[in-house]
Amino acid sequence: MTRPVVIEKIGSVLLLRMQAPPVNALGAQLRKDLQEAVAAAAADPAITSLVVTGQGKLFSAGADIAEFEAGMAKPELPEVLDTIERSRLPVVAAINGSALGGGLELALVCDYRFAARRAKFGLPEVSLGIIPGAGGTQRLPRLIDAEAAIAMTTSGKPVSASEAEAFGLVDRVFDSGDEAVAAAVAHAAALGTARRTARTAPPPALPDSTDFVAQQRLAITRQAKGRDAPLKALESVLNAYALPLDEGLAREAAIFAECNSSLQAKALQHVFFAERQVAQVRGMDAAVTAHTVAGVAVIGAGTMGSGIATACLQAGLKVTLIDVNPGSLAKGAQAIARIIEGNVAKGRIDAGAAAATLQRLELGDSLSAAASADLVIEAVVENMAVKQKVFAELDRIAKPGAILATNTSTLNVDLIANATARPHDVIGLHFFSPAHVMRLLEIVRGAKTSDQAVKTALDLSRRIGKVGVVVGVCYGFVGNRMLEPYARDAHRLLLEGASPSQLDTVLTRFGMAMGVLSMCDMAGNDVGASMRRENRAAIAHDPSYCRMGDVLDARGEFGQKAGLGFYAYAGRDKSERLDLVDLIAAEADQLGIVRREIGDEEIFERCLYSLVNEGCRILEEGIAQRPGDIDTIWCNGYGFPALLGGPMHWAEAHGLQHIHDRLAHWRAALGTYGEAWFSPAASLTELARNRGRLVDLFPSD
Ligand code: T1G
C-alpha cells in the first residue's frame, strides 16, 4: 500500500510529498505519517530544512470531511501543524495546486510559500457550516492584512495565486508545480535555522478606523443569509488581534467544535457529499465509456434553447442552434451574444475569449443542420405530439450513435423515445431556467436508455458545470413532481383564505429562496396551465386543483412577463394585488369552499409536508435513487435552503413521525380534498411506526 506521504532526501533537504488521491485530504494516516516524518527529520542532524508539497492537481483539499461525523482520529490536524511550526527545521511549502481549508492551514505553518500559478487559496469551511479549525483564523491575520484575512475566512471564497502573492500570503509564483518544487528545494537548502512563522511574527493589528469591526460585522451578517458560521469565523479572526497565538488557537478550536456539532453543519456537509454521490448510478455498467461529444445541436431557440446553447458554448463545445422560425432564431442568437458579451463587461472573460466562444456558434433553420452533431438537445414547446414529430425526424437525420436528448420538464421520455428506432440513444436532459446559470440538470433515464447515453449525460453535466442527477420516468420526474403537491396546496390555501404574500412569506421565512406563488409568476402561469392541460387526467377529479393559476392564465395574467399574476409587477418591483381577493373569493364560492382564517403553521405544514410525502413516494418507486439525490435536486433547482440539507434531510431532522401524524391530521381535517391528497406515503408510515431513518429503507450507496 502506497504511504500517503512520500519522503525524498535531496542533500540536506527532506521533500515530503502528500499522495492521497484524489484531493490529498488530510486523513488520519496522512496526518500520522506527516507528523512522524517531521519529528524524525528534526532528530536527524543531517537534515537542515523541509519542503512539503502535494502529488496531483491539488496541494490539499484540507481535512477529510468524511471524518467529521465520526470524530477525528489522533493525531488531530492542529497537533500535527503545531509539531511542524515548533520544529527546529524551517519549511518551504511548494504549493503545486489548490490549498483549501486544512491544506492552506498546513501552508500557513511553513516559513515560505512558493506556488504554481494555477493554485487557488481558500478557507471554504464556512460553506460546510464550520470555521477553520487548525489555525487558519489565527495564523492568516498574522500574515496578511485584516480586510483580506476576514474576507477569506468569512466568505470561504478562494483567491488566485497572483492575488495571494499581492496579499503577501505567497512569496513567489511559478508557471508550474514542478518549478515551484525545484525552487522550494533550492530555497530550503539555502535557509539558516531561523524560523519565520506566526510564532515569530509581530502581533497583528486591526485598521485604525473605529468602526472597522462594526462595518465588517454588518456586511458579513448581510452576506451570511442565516448561516451562523461566517459570524463565528469573524469572532475567531478578531481574537487574533486581541489574544496571544495559543489562546487564540484554543478559542478557535472551541468555536470549531461548537459549529461542527450544529444542525447547519450537518446539513451543509450532507449536501457536500450528496452532490458528489449523485454521480454513482446504481445498476450502471461501471466500465461503460461515454460517447465523445464535440458538437451539440440545440433544437428550439427560445429561452431554454438559447440558455442551453450558452451553457455548452461556455464549456468550450461547438454548438448549432436550430429553429425553423427565422425571427426566433435571430432572437435566440442575440440572447446568447448578450450573455457572452455581458460576461466581458463583468470582467469574467476577456473580449478575445468572448469572440472565440461566439465563433463556435452556428445557426440552422432546419433539423438537417443537426446531422453531424454528437448530441442533439431538443428544447421545443412542451407538447407530446410536437416532440414526437421532432424525434421521428431526428431519427432519420442524426448520425448513428448520436445521443438524442429532450429538455422536457414533465413529459414521458419513453413515449418520446418510441417515436424513434433508437430509443437506447434517447435520454431526458431537464435544464432549469436560466439554463446557463442554474446548476441542476435532471438526467432522465428511460426504460430503454443505454448506460452509454447515461454516462455521456453525466460527463456532459460535469463538463458544463452542472450537477447531473439521474432520475426515472414519471410525470415531472423528481423536481417538478414534488413541486406539484407543494404548489397545489398553496393554490388551495388561497381559495381557503390565505393571501399570496402570507403564503410566500411563510415559505421564505422557512428559508426557501422564493415563495411558491412568486415562483409561479416567474415561471409563467401560462406554462403552469399548459403543463396541467397535458396532465389533465391525473387531476380532473379535483376541480380546485391550482384553480387560481388556471384563472390567471385564462385572463392572460401570466405573471412577471405580463406585469400581472399573483402579484402586480412594475419592472422588478412587485406589489400585492388588491383586486385578487375578490377574484379568489368568487372562485372559492363557485367551488363551495368556505373561506376562513389560515394560520402560518397550517401553511407551513401543508406545503412542506406534502413536498416530503411526495419525496417518499418517489423513493418508493425508485424514480430517485437515494434521499440525497432529492436533496441535491431541490437545493440546486428549487431554492430549498442547503442550510437545512434539502427536503429529505430536513424531514429527518424535523421528525418523520411528526410529519406523518400531521399529514394524517390534514387528511381527516380537509374532507374529500384531504382524502384525495394527504394520505401519508407507505414508507413514511412504516418509518413513523418503527421510528426508522430514511436510509433504513432507501440506502445511500
Ligand atoms: N474531504 C474528504 N473528501 C473530499 C474532500 C475533503 N476535504 N474534498 C473532496 N473530497 C472527495 C469528494 O467527495 C469526491 O469523492 C472526490 O474527493 C473528488 O472531489 C481543519 C476542518 C477540492 C475543489 O471544503 O471543494 O479543512 O465522490 O468531485 O470537482 O480547518 O472537492 O469521488 O468519492 O469535488 O475536482 C475544507 C472541499 C475541509 C474542500 C475538488 N475543504 N472539496 O473539486 O472534485 S474542512 C473543503 C472541494 C477543513 C480545517 C477544516 C472540491 C475540490 P468521490 P470533487 P473536484
Side-chain angles (χ1 to χ4, degrees):
M1 183 194 87
T2 330
R3 305 296 302 194
V5 177
V6 177
I7 302 171
E8 189 187 342
K9 194 165 179 301
I10 306 169
S12 66
V13 176
L14 210 59
L15 174 61
L16 306 177
R17 198 185 294 272
M18 297 180 286
Q19 191 169 278
V23 294
N24 294 331
L26 306 170
Q29 190 60 51
L30 191 154
R31 294 195 303 271
K32 188 166 173 297
D33 287 11
L34 200 54
Q35 187 172 47
E36 286 170 3
V38 172
D44 178 348
I47 302 295
T48 60
S49 56
L50 304 172
V51 170
V52 61
T53 191
Q55 179 73 36
K57 69 176 182 159
L58 282 115
F59 176 74
S60 170
D64 185 346
I65 303 168
E67 267 190 284
F68 291 2
E69 186 130 21
M72 299 265 211
K74 297 275 179 225
E76 294 197 21
L77 188 55
E79 188 193 332
V80 176
L81 300 191
D82 190 59
T83 304
I84 297 172
E85 189 175 53
R86 289 178 190 276
S87 138
R88 72 172 177 85
L89 298 170
V91 192
V92 181
I95 301 163
N96 54 296
S98 291
L100 305 173
L104 177 53
E105 290 169 307
L106 168 58
L108 288 173
V109 294
C110 300
D111 303 65
Y112 293 88
R113 282 153 290 278
F114 286 12
R117 200 168 304 289
R118 68 172 183 187
K120 294 222 178 321
F121 298 80
L123 293 171
E125 284 84 345
V126 288
S127 61
L128 297 167
I130 54 177
I131 71 164
T137 68
Q138 301 309 302
R139 296 190 174 99
L140 192 61
R142 285 171 165 79
L143 200 55
I144 67 177
D145 72 46
E147 201 141 357
I150 290 172
M152 283 184 72
T153 321
T154 59
S155 74
K157 290 206 183 79
V159 298
S160 67
S162 47
E163 284 170 309
E165 188 178 29
F167 289 162
L169 172 55
V170 156
D171 299 286
R172 289 172 63 187
V173 175
F174 299 83
D175 289 339
S176 73
D178 293 344
E179 279 179 58
V181 172
V185 170
H187 188 73
L191 283 174
T193 54
R195 297 295 313 264
R196 176 185 177 255
T197 67
R199 280 192 185 283
T200 61
L206 283 169
D208 293 343
S209 73
T210 48
D211 59 355
F212 172 78
V213 172
Q215 279 178 2
Q216 290 288 329
R217 187 167 281 117
L218 199 59
I220 292 160
T221 306
R222 219 175 289 124
Q223 285 155 20
K225 296 196 173 79
R227 294 175 301 143
D228 299 334
L231 289 159
K232 291 285 177 192
L234 176 66
E235 180 192 331
S236 189
V237 171
L238 292 176
N239 286 336
Y241 303 96
L243 302 173
L245 181 60
D246 291 322
E247 279 181 49
L249 289 172
R251 281 292 311 130
E252 178 194 83
I255 298 172
F256 171 83
E258 180 199 333
C259 287
N260 198 36
S261 60
S262 70
L263 285 179
Q264 285 195 359
K266 300 212 179 316
L268 291 167
Q269 290 162 25
H270 161 74
V271 168
F272 176 86
F273 283 116
E275 278 192 11
R276 280 149 186 86
Q277 204 171 25
V278 293
Q280 290 153 30
V281 179
R282 263 191 221 122
M284 193 164 87
D285 170 3
V288 73
T289 53
H291 190 77
T292 307
V293 176
V296 177
V298 178
I299 318 293
T303 312
M304 288 311 291
S306 55
I308 294 167
T310 308
C312 294
L313 282 168
Q314 288 176 318
L317 289 156
K318 255 179 352 97
V319 175
T320 306
L321 180 65
I322 300 170
D323 201 307
V324 290
N325 175 319
S328 309
L329 190 57
K331 227 169 125 213
Q334 283 154 14
I336 295 171
R338 228 184 357 263
I339 297 165
I340 304 288
E341 278 141 21
N343 287 339
V344 178
K346 292 180 192 131
R348 291 191 192 133
I349 55 173
D350 62 33
T357 303
L358 289 171
Q359 254 149 35
R360 279 186 268 107
L361 174 62
E362 283 177 14
L363 303 179
D365 58 8
S366 83
L367 285 186
S368 59
S372 62
D374 306 301
L375 166 67
V376 182
I377 305 177
E378 162 275 313
V380 301
V381 63
E382 188 72 351
N383 174 284
M384 181 57 86
V386 174
K387 289 186 189 288
Q388 288 175 318
K389 188 161 170 290
V390 169
F391 272 73
E393 184 90 358
L394 284 174
D395 191 23
R396 260 181 347 89
I397 291 166
K399 68 180 182 185
I403 304 295
L404 308 180
T406 169
N407 178 52
T408 178
S409 52
T410 56
L411 299 176
N412 186 322
V413 171
D414 290 329
L415 296 182
I416 295 172
N418 294 343
T420 75
R422 48 172 123 179
H424 52 280
D425 290 335
V426 176
I427 195 165
L429 287 182
H430 178 206
F431 287 79
F432 289 75
S433 182
H436 66 289
V437 176
M438 294 296 281
R439 285 184 71 222
L440 179 63
L441 181 61
E442 270 186 327
I443 298 171
V444 187
R445 177 166 51 175
K448 299 183 186 131
T449 303
S450 68
D451 284 356
Q452 188 188 35
V454 174
K455 181 79 173 111
T456 306
L458 282 166
D459 284 15
L460 176 89
S461 69
R462 206 179 162 81
R463 195 163 163 197
I464 63 176
K466 307 286 182 203
V467 184
V469 186
V470 177
V471 298
V473 172
C474 67
Y475 179 80
F477 319 126
V478 171
N480 282 348
R481 176 170 160 185
M482 287 170 72
L483 184 64
E484 281 289 318
Y486 173 70
R488 179 214 64 232
D489 214 61
H491 281 74
R492 174 74 185 204
L493 282 157
L494 272 185
L495 293 168
E496 294 179 20
S499 73
S501 59
Q502 181 195 12
L503 267 155
D504 282 354
T505 306
V506 168
L507 299 171
T508 48
R509 208 182 300 137
F510 168 74
M512 297 301 289
M514 186 182 272
V516 64
L517 297 177
S518 303
M519 187 199 262
C520 293
D521 271 357
M522 182 185 70
N525 295 311
D526 51 332
V527 176
S530 91
M531 283 160 74
R532 284 188 292 277
R533 276 191 290 276
E534 288 281 333
N535 189 35
R536 185 54 61 192
I539 58 177
H541 66 282
D542 177 0
S544 78
Y545 195 99
C546 292
R547 180 67 165 259
M548 290 316 298
D550 292 343
V551 167
L552 293 177
D553 169 55
R555 293 164 58 96
E557 297 166 356
F558 303 144
Q560 280 183 13
K561 60 187 171 191
L564 213 53
F566 287 101
Y567 298 91
Y569 298 87
R572 285 183 169 281
D573 295 340
K574 180 175 87 172
S575 57
E576 290 257 9
R577 285 184 63 174
L578 303 177
D579 64 329
L580 196 63
V581 179
D582 298 342
L583 214 55
I584 298 171
E587 294 301 324
D589 193 38
Q590 255 190 41
L591 290 161
I593 294 173
V594 179
R595 291 169 59 74
R596 56 187 171 84
E597 193 72 28
I598 303 277
D600 289 357
E601 189 59 18
E602 177 173 353
I603 292 171
F604 165 79
E605 289 191 354
R606 286 174 55 174
C607 291
L608 289 161
Y609 296 175
S610 298
L611 182 78
V612 170
N613 200 30
E614 197 63 27
C616 291
R617 290 207 173 90
I618 283 171
L619 289 166
E620 288 166 17
E621 296 164 27
I623 301 293
Q625 296 187 89
R626 52 182 81 86
D629 289 15
I630 295 181
D631 292 333
T632 301
I633 286 171
W634 267 75
C635 288
N636 288 288
Y638 296 82
F640 195 99
L643 262 186
L644 298 175
M648 306 319 283
H649 177 90
W650 167 74
E652 196 118 68
H654 187 71
L656 296 174
Q657 175 148 26
H658 174 70
I659 292 174
H660 169 272
D661 298 351
R662 295 306 296 164
L663 284 165
H665 162 80
W666 291 116
R667 179 180 56 196
L670 297 169
T672 43
Y673 176 81
E675 270 316 316
W677 299 114
F678 278 85
S679 298
S683 53
L684 188 56
T685 305
E686 185 182 340
L687 291 170
R689 194 177 40 243
N690 60 28
R691 299 185 182 287
R693 306 193 58 212
L694 283 166
V695 283
D696 302 343
L697 291 182
F698 311 113
S700 282
D701 54 352

